[in-house]
Amino acid sequence: MIVLDALVRLCPPPADPPPAVDWAQAELALGAALPADYKQLVETYGDGIFDETIWLLVPGSAYSDCDLYAQTAEREEILAGLWEFEAKPAGLLEAGARVVPWAFEEGSGAFLYWLARPGRHPDEWTVLYNEGRGPLWEHHDMGCLAFLLAVLSGTAQTAYFGYLYEVLKPTEHCFETADLALGTSGQ
């Protein structure tokens, strides 16, 4: 809860709480439990974009680009094809390991994934960043909430998010709901 409190102070959530997520149904549909910090993040912010840069995926979003289910299926298909001719990142060489997307970077094709390893509790899943339009993967030994806070606060040890740091250079951080950013009709 300390990390969430720090994120809320840095980047205030929407005034109206997001719609509730049926976590049991979400986990059943994905075939895996989800990390507690992710659930806190979704319950606090909902689907939308942090600092015009990081889109949060949410189970059952009205927007396919923000829907955890749709993006998980799409990424599984894309990565399966990719790995027919490109090497998997080291963390995925372990039998039964997989990636599950939880966010993506605006306009870059890059995704943030959990590295879900067999025998590991979801709260132990770590973050993998894939540049999307290239073979590079970057591992971060922390959960999604801690990583998001590190990126927004500028303390993340990452070669990415240049747009956020070099172009936007926010002095105040903001979160915009998917409804505000994309329109209220859904897609």
Side-chain angles (χ1 to χ4, degrees):
M1 207 56 171
I2 293 171
V3 177
L4 179 62
D5 292 341
L7 181 62
V8 165
R9 282 191 302 278
L10 181 70
C11 184
D16 294 327
V21 171
D22 181 340
W23 292 112
Q25 175 59 35
E27 292 172 338
L28 182 64
L30 293 168
L34 292 166
D37 66 339
Y38 170 73
K39 293 176 183 179
Q40 294 171 341
L41 190 57
V42 167
E43 290 169 352
T44 303
Y45 290 92
D47 54 0
I49 186 168
F50 290 89
D51 284 351
E52 301 176 32
T53 304
I54 301 173
W55 285 93
L56 181 62
L57 303 178
V58 172
S61 172
Y63 304 91
S64 61
D65 285 351
C66 296
D67 182 31
L68 180 64
Y69 305 133
Q71 290 303 318
T72 297
E74 182 177 299
R75 302 314 305 163
E76 285 175 353
E77 182 179 325
I78 288 169
L79 292 174
L82 178 71
W83 289 328
E84 289 180 12
F85 61 89
E86 192 174 288
K88 289 182 177 183
L92 287 175
L93 298 177
E94 179 181 357
R98 70 179 192 151
V99 291
V100 179
W102 61 271
F104 67 92
E105 186 179 1
E106 171 68 23
S108 70
F111 270 80
L112 288 160
Y113 297 92
W114 289 293
L115 173 57
R117 297 175 52 207
R120 294 282 179 106
H121 189 277
D123 293 342
E124 298 174 316
W125 292 356
T126 55
V127 171
L128 279 175
Y129 176 95
N130 175 248
E131 65 182 347
R133 296 189 177 115
L136 300 179
W137 290 78
E138 189 178 79
H139 182 255
H140 298 274
D141 194 21
M142 61 183 75
C144 64
L145 184 53
F147 181 75
L148 180 60
L149 177 62
V151 168
L152 295 182
S153 65
T155 61
Q157 300 296 311
T158 179
Y160 300 100
F161 299 103
Y163 182 77
L164 177 62
Y165 300 130
E166 297 159 15
V167 178
L168 295 178
K169 300 178 187 174
T171 55
E172 291 184 14
H173 298 276
C174 66
F175 177 82
E176 187 174 16
T177 65
D179 281 347
L180 288 174
L182 301 172
T184 56
S185 63
Q187 304 205 21

